[in-house]
Structure formats: C-alpha cells, structure tokens
Amino acid sequence: MKKILAISLILAGMGIFIFENIYAGLFLLLLGLNFIVTEGTEIDLESKTYRKVKSIFGKNFGTWEPCPKFDYVSVFKTTETTNVSSKGAQIASFKSDIILLNLFYSGNKNFTISKTTNKKEAFEIADHLKLALDIDILDATESEKKWL
C-alpha cells in the first residue's frame, strides 16, 4: 500500500511540476520519494564490515564500518505503523505485522539488519548469520522466547 501511495505521489508531483505549480509538484514529488526510500543494514561477512544503508530505486548509500563482536541474533515479531500526513494533518495510518532481525553486541546494544513479513525467510537469514558469525539465535516471535 505504501509503494502504491509513493508511486501515485511521484506521478502526481511530476504532472503538477510540469503543468501547474513548480513548488506544489516538487513537494509531492519529494514526499513520494521519501515514502519509497528503504532503510536497512548490509553486512560483508568476508571483510567483517557493515553499513547502515538508505536505498532508493536499488541504489544503496552508506559507509562501511568494522563489525563489533556479535553476541546473538534475535528474530522478533512486532507491528509497524506508518502514518501519512500533509500540512500537519494526519491523512491515514497503516499497520502491518513485521519480523525484525536484530544483531546484539556489547550486552544490549543492537541494530536491525532485516525487516520482513515472511517468518521462514527471517529464520533462513538468522541461520545463515548463526553459521557465519558463530552466534546463537533468540526466537522472540511467540510470547515465550527460546534459544535455538
């Protein structure tokens, strides 16, 4: 739903920019681009580096940093809410169930490395990280957490 809204805003913004009002078109265009930007984390397991990225149309931006010593990977189920607003007024609110993969290090420090709606895919990624980084998996997708 978010992508449909983003594409609609981009197309409307381009049309208004070209045929009507430059500022209003530019505003809608930038708003649409903001909705289509995705964030995440890339890890290069060979060089033991990572980067937090922002991606737009498949182009990733971010700087590589050395990986800390990871303690475990957590597979966590939660609800994500996306609010759409314009000129200070909330237009719509979208809720969706998602599964986050968080890498924990130095006790309780962590960062999210993946966000998905597919539980099987999340555990495949977690298994790969377990083998590559020699860490445990914490399954927090149910009310009772368990180590795998």
Side-chain angles (χ1 to χ4, degrees), residues 75-82 95-101 112 114-119 122 140-141:
V75 182
F76 179 74
K77 185 176 180 181
T78 188
T79 302
E80 179 180 57
T81 304
T82 304
K95 289 187 179 187
S96 59
D97 289 333
I98 59 168
I99 298 175
L100 300 176
L101 272 82
T112 302
S114 179
K115 179 174 26 174
T116 183
T117 56
N118 186 325
K119 188 174 180 178
T141 58

Side-chain angles (χ1 to χ4, degrees), residues 62-102:
T63 42
W64 291 98
E65 299 177 29
C67 286
K69 171 70 175 114
F70 296 114
D71 300 324
Y72 64 96
V73 59
S74 170
V75 182
F76 179 74
K77 185 176 180 181
T78 188
T79 302
E80 179 180 57
T81 304
T82 304
N83 294 315
V84 179
S85 59
S86 176
K87 297 183 181 179
Q90 185 171 331
I91 298 171
S93 181
F94 303 103
K95 289 187 179 187
S96 59
D97 289 333
I98 59 168
I99 298 175
L100 300 176
L101 272 82
N102 295 324

Side-chain angles (χ1 to χ4, degrees), residues 5 12 48 74-75 90 100 105 107 110 133 140 144:
L5 177 63
K48 302 284 190 210
S74 170
V75 182
Q90 185 171 331
L100 300 176
Y105 61 98
N110 71 76
L133 299 171
E144 188 172 322

